[in-house]
């Protein structure tokens, strides 16, 4: 009976070792795959007004970065120069086989302005672990249609509105406090609702 117990114990130990070795190598392979398909970078965003020749920087603009899987991967407020730097990690874009680059969508909102969305901001395009985007915001004006501006996407405006509302609610943005009845709903602002 003792021999059977020892044999059983040795068999169990060898199966456990085989299982652990397979698990460890498979886990390492997954991490290697993730690293090979991941691009680390710093996204620089600059937010300015649109009507001046060179644009005035807009501070306290909220930048929201969304990856190709629809996940929010970063948010930051711009500084007094209208700039924000956001560290991000994105999936490598398989459309560009010879480049280790990715792509993100960037949303910008600021008090007194309509929202702006850029649907295609390249990341690490020049193998420098950076990405950059310049964002012009339109002032809210009761004498014209106030709605989000967007570029690099051939979407119907209502599709864009739904998408913007989804991410604004997901991150917890509040609508701007606009007293003008003709501007409904008010554009999203940079402040976050208390959790």
């Amino acid at each position: 009976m003792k021999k059977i117990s020892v044999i059983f114990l040795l068999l169990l130990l060898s199966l456990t070792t085989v299982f652990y070795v397979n698990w460890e190598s498979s886990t390492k392979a997954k991490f290697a795959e993730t690293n090979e398909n991941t691009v680390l970078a710093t996204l620089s965003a600059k937010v300015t007004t649109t009507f001046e020749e060179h644009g005035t920087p807009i501070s306290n603009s909220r930048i929201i970065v969304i990856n190709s899987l629809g996940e929010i991967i970063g948010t930051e407020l711009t500084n007094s120069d209208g700039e924000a730097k956001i560290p991000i990690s994105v999936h490598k874009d398989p459309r560009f086989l010879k480049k280790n680059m990715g792509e993100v969508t960037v949303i910008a909102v600021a008090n007194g302005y309509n929202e702006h969305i850029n649907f295609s901001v390249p990341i690490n395009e020049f193998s420098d672990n950076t990405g950059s985007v310049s964002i012009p915001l339109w002032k809210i004006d009761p004498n014209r249609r106030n709605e989000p501006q967007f570029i690099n996407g051939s979407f119907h405006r209502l599709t864009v509105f739904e998408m913007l509302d989804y991410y604004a609610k997901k991150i917890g943005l509040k609508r701007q406090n606009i007293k003008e009845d003709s501007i409904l709903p008010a554009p999203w602002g940079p402040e976050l609702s208390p959790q």
Side-chain angles (χ1 to χ4, degrees), residues 87-146:
I88 56 173
S89 173
V90 297
H91 298 284
K92 183 177 177 182
D93 192 326
R95 297 175 298 173
F96 303 98
L97 299 176
K98 297 189 179 197
K99 296 261 189 185
N100 186 32
M101 64 181 281
E103 185 179 61
V104 294
T105 295
V106 176
I107 299 173
V109 297
N111 284 324
Y113 298 88
N114 289 291
E115 309 94 330
H116 183 94
I117 306 166
N118 186 327
F119 283 100
S120 181
V121 177
I123 302 298
N124 198 43
E125 182 177 12
F126 303 109
S127 300
D128 58 1
N129 297 99
T130 67
S132 66
V133 60
S134 295
I135 303 165
L137 293 183
W138 291 76
K139 270 193 173 287
I140 293 171
D141 181 350
N143 296 317
R144 68 173 167 78
R145 181 187 289 177
N146 289 278

Side-chain angles (χ1 to χ4, degrees), residues 1-8:
M1 188 66 149
K2 238 181 189 178
K3 275 187 176 180
I4 293 175
S5 296
V6 170
I7 292 172
F8 178 74

